[in-house]
Amino acid sequence: MKKLRIIFKVVIVALALAFLSRCANPVSPSGGPKDTKAPNFVKAEPPLFTCNFDKKRIRVYFDEFVTLKDVSQQLIISPPMNESPKITSRGKSIQIDFEEPLKDSTTYTLFFGDAIVDITENNPASNFLYVFSTGDVLDSLTLKGKVLDAFNNDPLPNVSLLLYLDNNDTIPYDSLPYFVKPYFMTRSLSSGDFTFNNLPDKPFKLFALEDLNGTLTFDQPAERIAFVDSLVKPYYITPAKVDSIPNDTLIRQADSIVHDSLINKQLKDKLDELINHDEHPLIELKLFQETDSIQKFLKASLIKPQNIAFIFKNKVIDPSIELIDTVIENKWFIREDGVVGDTIFYWLTQVPSDSLTFVIADNGKILDTTRISIVPIEKSRRQKKEEETKVPKMKPEFMRTSPVPGQPFFVKFPYPIKSFNPTPFMMIEGEDTLTSQFTITDSIKRKAIMERDWLESTRYRFVIPDSVFIDIRNLSHDTLYPSFNTKAIADYGNFYLDISIEKECPNYIIQLFEGDKKSREMSVSEAGRVSFEYLNPATYEVKVIYDMNNNGEWDTGDYHYRIHPEEVNFFPKEIVVRANWDVVESWEL
């Protein structure tokens, strides 16, 4: 019995020590899920949309503790004040103290942008707006629109929409977005839609701006912009009569409610039913980035042995690249222009020196002088040893997909070809042995094609002897055995688009996309049928570019010269191409 008491005491002591040990080494509580919820508006003193406002202080309450972030940059007050109000956070509220007398019979709007955030994760009460009037009525006009990407018509969220009044005596009206903050501001939703509420009956200049630095002015080349040529006038949206909401005052002020956080969702849904959204058309703004017209030379680099790339900021107009420290009598390079137009490649047919100095110019203007080493980076001992044991060879790259009817089979070379043996070589077409040959078609001599009326559902094999092609490095290739299988005609589908012309334009670029990949492109200048034949079964999208300057590509806009980007449009439905099937559609451009 005595032994049992001793054992019991030992157990009790052990448990106590374990408990004390656990208490002495507390473990941090595990964190819960991250707070992603924005602060919700609860009430305001005085209430939102107060008329005959005569206070010097406003208090706005939220459902959680809040603080202020970049309020001096985010806050837009309309009409502007000489002295900005003092704004402070107070627990679950913010306090606004006015530092100057308010104007009589004026509707004021305080747009906070993303300045009000919770104190835990900085989640913003986005686009919070406080509206009041010092007169008997609130300004109650509205302006609605949509912001789209100018190149692909995608809706753009969180773009700043800016309204300007022509009330500045020192800055021209069209220069306001460069230097002056707007009179009114809002932001686009995820759908690209935007709404201005509580506007006065006055004409405005309207802009959309991707404000990268938060200044609310168009002051960075990387910022995208859109503008309306003419002045815009806000309008009144007439609410419908609904017996289920007897409060006439609420109905009259429905158009003044500007943000989801101001009212509960049920009430907002009811108010949305009251408003006739089709009474006034939406204003479409196409956001674009201007091209910096100041040409700059960025750099020159040896991208691989005997290949120099000269890279410019913009597409070159009339480039000049002159060698100044070495005299070479014979032609020592082959020039190749990059696809985009901002890069020029020099393929060196001989290496005149370890380094070369160039004077770079474009369109008659000298941009820079650059010196570049053309000696490849020193190789490691292992690389040198490996190269000593094998003969270097050129490795052509053959077309990865089988050609469709009417399309040539091609091969690309890593370097321009110096010499080419056009002797026919063996081609096996199904079971038949024939001969064929390549033809070099481009001036750079980096591509050769083979044209033939390919048989459908047939296997093609080739035996190309070694050293048919020799490049500028004097490298040749081993015997090559390319092959491919053609598909049956019934495996393809065709798409025919009958175009009629509504908008006069010198050139229409019709593009066919499979997902994000451009599959085909054609240019037309008049009404008629556009044929896209031998398409792989897939779902396609059709895009048109109104090529107003007839240069074969889409051009952006320029606000300084009041030039809008070239218009693009998309066929209103997807084109589903099936095997052995023709799709015919009509489109009025």
Side-chain angles (χ1 to χ4, degrees), residues 293-296 312 318-320 359-368:
S293 59
I294 300 176
Q295 180 66 290
K296 292 182 180 180
F312 297 79
D318 182 21
S320 172
V359 173
I360 312 296
D362 186 28
N363 202 26
K365 181 180 179 181
I366 295 177
L367 303 176
D368 203 353

Side-chain angles (χ1 to χ4, degrees), residues 297-452:
F297 173 69
L298 300 182
K299 67 176 181 177
S301 60
L302 188 74
I303 57 176
K304 58 183 178 179
Q306 295 180 232
N307 185 206
I308 304 174
F310 300 91
I311 304 173
F312 297 79
K313 182 179 180 181
N314 301 317
K315 183 184 296 186
V316 295
I317 299 173
D318 182 21
S320 172
I321 303 173
E322 297 292 337
L323 185 63
I324 62 172
D325 62 348
T326 304
V327 178
I328 307 174
E329 294 182 358
N330 299 324
K331 183 69 174 178
W332 58 278
F333 69 90
I334 298 171
R335 171 179 158 174
E336 180 181 9
D337 295 337
V339 176
V340 178
D342 59 359
T343 303
I344 294 175
F345 299 96
Y346 270 21
W347 297 93
L348 308 187
T349 57
Q350 56 178 299
V351 181
S353 173
D354 289 347
S355 61
L356 301 172
T357 304
F358 299 92
V359 173
I360 312 296
D362 186 28
N363 202 26
K365 181 180 179 181
I366 295 177
L367 303 176
D368 203 353
T369 300
T370 184
R371 186 173 181 83
I372 179 172
S373 172
I374 59 173
V375 177
I377 299 173
E378 183 69 19
K379 296 178 181 178
S380 66
R381 289 183 180 180
R382 180 179 178 182
Q383 289 174 320
K384 290 179 179 179
K385 189 173 182 180
E386 288 177 353
E387 290 184 356
E388 289 174 357
T389 60
K390 63 181 181 179
V391 178
K393 292 288 184 178
M394 179 234 298
K395 295 181 179 180
E397 180 181 346
F398 289 93
M399 185 175 177
R400 295 182 179 178
T401 58
S402 58
V404 301
Q407 181 185 29
F409 182 65
F410 64 80
V411 57
K412 290 183 177 180
F413 306 100
Y415 282 79
I417 296 302
K418 183 176 72 173
S419 64
F420 163 52
N421 182 359
T423 303
F425 50 82
M426 185 171 66
M427 175 180 73
I428 303 173
E429 185 178 67
E431 301 298 328
D432 299 330
T433 300
L434 308 169
T435 60
S436 187
Q437 64 185 79
F438 279 105
T439 303
I440 294 180
T441 56
D442 66 316
S443 60
I444 310 302
K445 297 183 178 180
R446 290 193 61 204
K447 184 177 181 180
I449 65 171
M450 180 196 306
E451 295 184 293
R452 184 173 180 81

Side-chain angles (χ1 to χ4, degrees), residues 545-581:
I545 298 173
Y546 294 87
D547 184 18
M548 296 302 295
N549 61 0
N550 201 17
N551 67 347
E553 61 185 19
W554 178 81
D555 291 286
T556 188
D558 190 311
Y559 176 64
H560 178 75
Y561 294 103
R562 309 298 181 265
I563 298 173
H564 289 279
E566 288 182 329
E567 184 180 354
V568 303
N569 206 352
F570 288 83
F571 191 68
K573 64 180 182 180
E574 293 180 328
I575 305 299
V576 180
V577 175
R578 296 182 175 89
N580 200 27
W581 197 264

